């Protein structure tokens, strides 16, 4: 297998400084770097609190799907939600950083970077039922890339489960009911096109209706559905206790007079997304 230097998420990738969001307070995380992406692993939950990836849409490659799921040897196995969580049930190992997102540059670099995404620190349990809402969720980065036509289609994306204390437990792991995604890009300034400004959009995927552990075992409903919303980044910040820094003010939904779930924008197709 070709190797790529695991330099991790690049704060300066967009041409505007954008630090990786981090949990607030004294929440312990392990910072793990991979080719073009970083995972902040929350050991007590055995899942990522934040992931950040840089995507260069101008040099993305359509490489064959290769790679096998594996534990990260740098982290104790007990701190990772490994293969036993996904065995003999209807849970998928959901990529947080998508397989294709870091797959850009040379063919060797792209192949090594996509293979690096098959690590359990970059996975989270998702209901296996595949429907239009999940397809929409998986395609949000592509939609943002198509919109962000400045800075050579460069986008930075932050994704993770919402690690809520009330998430139901299954096989020693609390199964997240929600996931967040925040995409950021550089846009040309109105007064001077040479000056860039940061723009961003936030999203939440809700699988609460699909996951049931009330009887002591996992039940995944095949009749329910994923719900996808565009959400103020300030709401995601409050929901996750993650500091998103300048992304809150860069939100394309700003200004938002009303916040909270009642004001979240439900998405049925990519055409429902507000990007500018």
């Amino acid at each position: 297998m070709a190797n790529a230097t695991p330099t991790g998420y690049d704060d300066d990738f967009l041409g505007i400084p954008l630090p990786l969001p981090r949990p607030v307070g004294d929440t312990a995380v392990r910072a793990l770097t991979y080719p073009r992406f970083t995972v902040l692993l929350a050991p007590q939950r055995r899942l990522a609190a934040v992931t950040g990836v840089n995507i260069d849409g101008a040099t993305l490659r359509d490489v064959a799907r290769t790679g096998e799921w594996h534990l990260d040897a740098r982290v104790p196995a007990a701190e990772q939600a490994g293969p036993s969580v996904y065995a003999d049930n209807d849970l998928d190992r959901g990529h947080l950083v998508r397989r294709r997102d870091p797959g850009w540059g040379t063919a060797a670099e792209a192949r090594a970077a996509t293979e690096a995404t098959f690590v359990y620190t970059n996975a989270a349990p998702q209901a296996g039922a595949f429907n239009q809402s999940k397809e929409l969720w998986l395609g949000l980065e592509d939609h943002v890339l198509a919109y962000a036509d400045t800075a050579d289609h460069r986008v930075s994306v932050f994704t993770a489960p919402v690690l809520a204390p009330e998430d139901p437990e299954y096989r020693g792991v609390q199964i997240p009911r929600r996931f967040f995604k925040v995409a950021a890009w550089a846009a040309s300034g109105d007064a001077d096109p040479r000056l860039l400004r940061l723009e961003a959009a936030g999203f939440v995927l809700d699988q609460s209706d699909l996951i049931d552990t009330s009887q002591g075992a996992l039940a995944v409903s095949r009749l329910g559905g994923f719900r996808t919303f565009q959400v103020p980044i300030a709401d995601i910040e409050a929901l996750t206790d993650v500091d998103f820094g300048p992304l809150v003010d860069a939100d394309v939904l700003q200004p938002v007079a009303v916040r909270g779930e009642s004001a979240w924008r439900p998405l049925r197709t990519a055409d429902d997304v507000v990007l500018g």
Side-chain angles (χ1 to χ4, degrees):
M1 181 181 75
N3 293 318
T5 303
T7 53
Y9 170 81
D10 180 359
D11 291 8
D12 298 316
F13 182 73
L14 299 180
I16 302 172
L18 180 59
L20 182 68
R22 299 188 67 90
V24 300
D26 57 358
T27 301
V29 294
R30 293 186 182 273
L32 303 168
T33 58
Y34 305 91
R36 302 182 178 126
F37 69 98
T38 293
V39 173
L40 299 184
L41 179 70
Q44 71 281 7
R45 285 292 301 264
R46 302 170 63 187
L47 297 168
V50 177
T51 68
V53 61
N54 304 123
I55 309 171
D56 184 356
T59 62
L60 271 174
R61 289 181 176 268
D62 187 14
V63 299
R65 185 184 178 94
T66 57
E68 296 182 358
W69 287 99
H70 60 281
L71 296 170
D72 190 318
R74 297 172 293 179
V75 181
E79 295 182 359
Q80 303 175 64
S84 63
V85 177
Y86 303 94
D88 302 319
N89 56 38
D90 289 327
L91 288 177
D92 283 344
R93 290 168 292 201
H95 274 84
L96 298 173
V97 173
R98 294 189 311 170
R99 180 189 69 86
R100 71 184 301 264
D101 284 352
W104 47 270
T106 69
E109 290 170 341
R111 183 170 60 256
T114 59
E115 289 181 354
T117 65
F118 287 89
V119 61
Y120 279 105
T121 54
N122 184 45
Q126 291 186 349
F130 200 88
N131 61 18
Q132 184 176 356
S133 295
K134 193 171 182 181
E135 289 180 7
L136 172 63
W137 178 256
L138 294 174
L140 282 174
E141 287 100 322
D142 295 333
H143 186 68
V144 172
L145 275 169
Y147 172 81
D149 57 359
T150 59
D152 294 327
H153 302 271
R154 288 191 165 199
V155 172
S156 293
V157 178
F158 313 98
T159 309
V162 176
L163 302 179
E166 63 273 17
D167 287 336
E169 185 171 332
Y170 172 70
R171 294 182 179 176
V173 174
Q174 287 180 269
I175 306 299
R177 294 167 302 140
R178 289 172 168 171
F179 296 81
F180 73 83
K181 186 184 302 291
V182 175
W185 62 95
S188 298
D190 295 330
D192 186 345
R194 296 170 299 178
L195 300 178
L196 299 177
R197 70 174 185 276
L198 184 66
E199 292 187 341
F203 308 93
V204 167
L205 174 74
D206 193 322
Q207 66 173 3
S208 300
D209 292 344
L210 296 176
I211 300 294
D212 181 14
T213 61
S214 60
Q215 303 303 314
L218 175 74
V220 175
S221 170
R222 296 187 179 278
L223 299 178
F226 295 88
R227 295 181 297 161
T228 306
F229 303 88
Q230 186 166 359
V231 175
I233 297 171
D235 279 11
I236 298 176
E237 191 172 63
L239 190 67
T240 59
D241 286 332
V242 169
D243 181 2
F244 284 91
L247 291 166
V248 173
D249 290 334
D251 194 343
V252 293
L253 286 184
Q254 293 284 353
V256 179
V258 180
R259 291 201 173 101
E261 293 182 33
S262 62
W264 290 5
R265 180 182 178 87
L267 303 179
R268 295 173 181 85
T269 71
D271 292 338
D272 295 329
V273 177
V274 174
L275 294 178

